[in-house]
Amino acid sequence: MIDLKNLEVWFVTGSQHLYGEETLNKVAEHSQIIAKSFNNDSRIPVTVIWKPVVKTPEEIYNVCMEANTAKNCIGIIAWMHTFSPAKMWIGGLKILQKPLCHLHTQFNSDIPWKDIDMDFMNLNQSAHGDREFGFIMTRMRIRRKVIVGFWQDTKVLEQLNVWTRAAAGWNDWQGAKFVRFGDNMRYVAVTDGDKVEAEMKFGYSVNTHGIGDLVKTINEVTDADINTLLQEYEYSYALTDILKKGNEKHQSLIEAARIELGLKYFLQDGNYKGFTDTFEDLHGMTQLPGIGAQRMMAAGYGFAAEGDWKTAALVRAMKVMGSGLKGGNSFMEDYTYHFNPENQMVLGSHMLEICPSIAHGKPTCEIHPLGIGGKADPVRLVFNVSGGDALNASVIDMGNRFRLLVNDVEAVAPVHDLPKLPVARVLWKPKPDMATGCAAWILAGGAHHTCFSQNLSAEHLEDFADMADIECVLISEQTNIRDFKNELRWNDLSVR
């Protein structure tokens, strides 16, 4: 599991020298109490660090510069306890490169009706101090998260949880490396894109290695390492008899383990956070990575098939955001439809590579023909996925910008056995309904590859898109096609 507690969010409180030392000491005391409470709250997955109250342009600039260069700092929570004149913030905000959350709160929950006086009013004036701060960020066109409410309220803490997780995913992209084994699947449009623009916009790089580079690492895997991994397979999964030692396809399991270890060592040696492959480029490999790709995803790596580097990067980011939460995140593909008018659903799957982090129950380890790629039958994990709230997300290169498309869905536990379907699979109902959800996805140019999530919400991804400064389009229970088409048109106009 990716440990988010190693990451820091800085709690920065704004004020000014107008109020005198006694008031400023109280501001510092209150802000320390809030920061400590956030840090000790299990709902906040990162470490919250209190920073001294900033009262001048120089102090504001310095804390923003420090945040930019601090390796573990992934963002700033800013709060104006008193009135903090916003022109003081211009220099710092101009250079700030980390995500910002504007917390609009106050230290006290209730007005002390019998005791309130001007001293109390001068100290507790975030009601207008935060408006001054909000104005300058809007004037500067800064995208940020605004959370409103008493700092101990559950809703406020839940929103901070979401924002810090999105910030962790965004931080993970900065300087990340993803490797493509082979190129994009030939003639496919949506999985391709501008890797230079992506590195400029998102902070991660994508570069290709010939499949021979991976094969070399695969061939160097030792028998001892393979035997250890085979024991893990037997412990973790229900192996079909044909794959067990002494049976007909046991050598195929050995080769699958060799491929997985080769992938693991290659990714570790290159400090990669994810990868893609394609069944059109398997020269020197005995079989397409099936169980290997699945288990690399389960270990936290991003993955997508057929050279789809944008989805591989998104899978990685969503795994970071969801770290420690119940459920998982997986590469996914809309495969086929159930158009029964009483129960319309999508069957999501892929040829092999669905992450077992979303599995319901213990996966089976099986071997079946693939039918494409021209290689030996690949080993894979087969399982169903339980029902519940979920979503699909896709990053699309629109030519002049990137779009993050999100569809809330209801995952459906299978009601029928699928004895002849030799792959992991999940059923879902797009929201608001099958016809509207699918039509909206197509109108928005959504890809057939996605990241399917059981533990993230649209809010996580909306916050993430704000940090990336990209368009985010949501298909939800409230979507109707007429308004959705207008939203797409307005979005197009806004970037021309």
Side-chain angles (χ1 to χ4, degrees):
M1 185 179 73
I2 300 159
D3 186 4
L4 300 185
K5 207 63 180 175
N6 292 325
L7 304 175
E8 298 173 359
V9 167
W10 290 2
F11 191 80
V12 177
T13 307
S15 188
Q16 59 176 319
H17 283 295
L18 176 68
Y19 305 107
E21 283 303 309
E22 184 178 349
T23 296
L24 288 175
N25 289 338
K26 210 62 170 171
V27 169
E29 178 188 336
H30 289 174
S31 64
Q32 287 182 74
I33 291 171
I34 294 175
K36 183 178 180 180
S37 177
F38 286 164
N39 187 57
N40 293 336
D41 196 296
S42 61
R43 288 165 289 191
I44 309 298
V46 302
T47 298
V48 179
I49 303 292
W50 177 81
K51 289 293 177 177
V53 177
V54 291
K55 307 167 292 295
T56 66
E58 293 75 19
E59 290 174 353
I60 294 167
Y61 184 93
N62 288 339
V63 77
C64 291
M65 178 64 77
E66 186 185 354
N68 286 342
T69 57
K71 181 180 178 181
N72 291 339
C73 177
I74 64 170
I76 285 177
I77 301 171
W79 171 48
M80 305 303 110
H81 192 325
T82 64
F83 194 80
S84 180
K87 288 173 67 176
M88 295 197 307
W89 285 85
I90 292 173
L93 292 174
K94 281 176 65 177
I95 66 163
L96 183 63
Q97 297 172 357
K98 299 291 175 76
L100 191 147
C101 174
H102 182 188
L103 178 61
H104 184 41
T105 190
Q106 63 184 30
F107 186 72
N108 58 296
S109 173
D110 300 335
I111 293 174
W113 302 109
K114 293 182 180 180
D115 299 322
I116 187 169
D117 56 17
M118 282 311 299
D119 288 339
F120 182 92
M121 296 277 277
N122 284 332
L123 174 62
N124 298 284
Q125 49 180 300
S126 54
H128 73 288
D130 276 327
R131 282 170 167 79
E132 167 78 355
F133 185 54
F135 162 75
I136 201 62
M137 286 190 287
T138 297
R139 177 73 168 77
M140 296 174 70
R141 309 298 191 268
I142 293 173
R143 296 176 76 164
R144 74 280 190 189
K145 175 94 168 185
V146 178
I147 299 176
V148 179
F150 182 54
W151 55 276
Q152 291 180 320
D153 285 351
T154 296
K155 186 175 180 181
V156 168
L157 291 164
E158 288 173 348
Q159 288 182 286
L160 281 171
N161 180 353
V162 168
W163 179 81
T164 55
R165 288 181 176 279
W170 175 246
N171 177 75
D172 188 73
W173 266 9
Q174 307 314 301
K177 298 195 301 180
F178 295 87
V179 60
R180 299 172 88 195
F181 296 117
D183 201 0
N184 191 60
M185 182 179 173
R186 289 187 282 275
Y187 303 113
V188 177
V190 75
T191 55
D192 216 335
D194 189 336
K195 296 190 290 295
V196 174
E197 183 64 25
E199 187 164 353
M200 293 167 58
K201 193 70 176 174
F202 299 137
Y204 65 74
S205 64
V206 182
N207 289 288
T208 298
H209 273 267
I211 199 69
D213 294 340
L214 174 59
V215 169
K216 181 177 183 296
T217 304
I218 291 171
N219 290 339
E220 292 171 352
V221 172
T222 67
D223 290 343
D225 286 350
I226 291 172
N227 288 333
T228 299
L229 184 54
L230 291 176
Q231 292 174 12
E232 186 174 339
Y233 287 168
E234 290 194 37
Y235 174 79
S236 302
Y237 315 115
L239 263 64
T240 53
D241 288 341
I242 200 172
L243 290 172
K244 292 179 179 178
K245 189 172 183 179
N247 290 344
E248 180 183 353
K249 293 292 185 178
H250 183 65
Q251 186 60 38
S252 296
L253 189 66
I254 291 173
E255 294 305 318
R258 190 188 310 277
I259 290 170
E260 178 184 334
L261 290 167
L263 276 170
K264 177 181 177 180
Y265 298 152
F266 193 100
L267 296 173
Q268 288 177 342
D269 290 346
N271 196 28
Y272 293 108
K273 292 183 175 179
F275 70 103
T276 72
D277 60 21
T278 174
F279 64 89
E280 290 180 325
D281 191 354
L282 298 173
H283 185 71
M285 296 181 66
T286 56
Q287 56 181 270
L288 183 66
I291 189 173
Q294 292 176 293
R295 283 173 50 85
M296 287 296 97
M297 270 192 286
Y301 289 96
F303 170 80
E306 293 129 29
D308 186 358
W309 52 271
K310 297 189 298 299
T311 302
L314 183 62
V315 169
R316 167 64 186 192
M318 291 173 67
K319 283 186 172 292
V320 172
M321 286 186 249
S323 178
L325 297 178
K326 184 179 179 181
N329 293 272
S330 175
F331 170 63
M332 188 58 65
E333 180 173 86
D334 294 61
Y335 226 101
T336 193
Y337 291 146
H338 185 61
F339 265 142
N340 184 306
E342 303 301 320
N343 191 28
Q344 297 187 344
M345 294 181 290
V346 178
L347 174 61
S349 185
H350 202 256
M351 297 183 299
L352 299 170
E353 311 98 342
I354 302 299
C355 180
S357 67
I358 65 172
H360 177 68
K362 191 173 187 177
T364 59
C365 184
E366 305 178 14
I367 183 170
H368 302 277
L370 185 59
I372 56 176
K375 293 292 180 178
D377 301 343
V379 176
R380 79 290 303 269
L381 300 176
V382 178
F383 51 84
N384 291 316
V385 177
S386 59
D389 291 337
L391 61 78
N392 279 303
S394 175
V395 173
I396 314 146
D397 188 341
M398 298 296 294
N400 61 348
R401 68 189 188 280
F402 290 99
R403 170 180 288 165
L404 177 59
L405 181 59
V406 182
N407 186 194
D408 288 331
V409 304
E410 178 192 352
V412 179
V415 294
H416 299 286
D417 291 334
L418 300 164
K420 295 185 178 181
L421 186 62
V423 288
R425 56 276 180 142
V426 56
L427 293 163
W428 69 78
K429 296 182 178 183
K431 293 185 179 180
D433 55 69
M434 183 83 160
T436 305
C438 292
W441 189 272
I442 290 170
L443 286 166
H448 55 284
H449 287 170
T450 62
C451 181
F452 175 86
S453 178
Q454 296 171 317
N455 55 23
L456 300 179
S457 68
E459 186 180 358
H460 290 91
L461 295 171
E462 288 174 315
D463 287 353
F464 186 79
D466 276 339
M467 294 169 189
D469 193 23
I470 62 170
E471 174 189 9
C472 184
V473 177
L474 173 62
I475 305 168
S476 69
E477 197 68 65
Q478 287 73 46
T479 298
N480 69 76
I481 292 298
R482 183 178 184 277
D483 291 345
F484 188 80
K485 289 167 74 173
N486 281 334
E487 180 185 352
L488 296 179
R489 292 187 186 104
W490 296 331
N491 290 355
D492 282 340
L493 288 171
S494 71
V495 294
R496 286 179 182 173

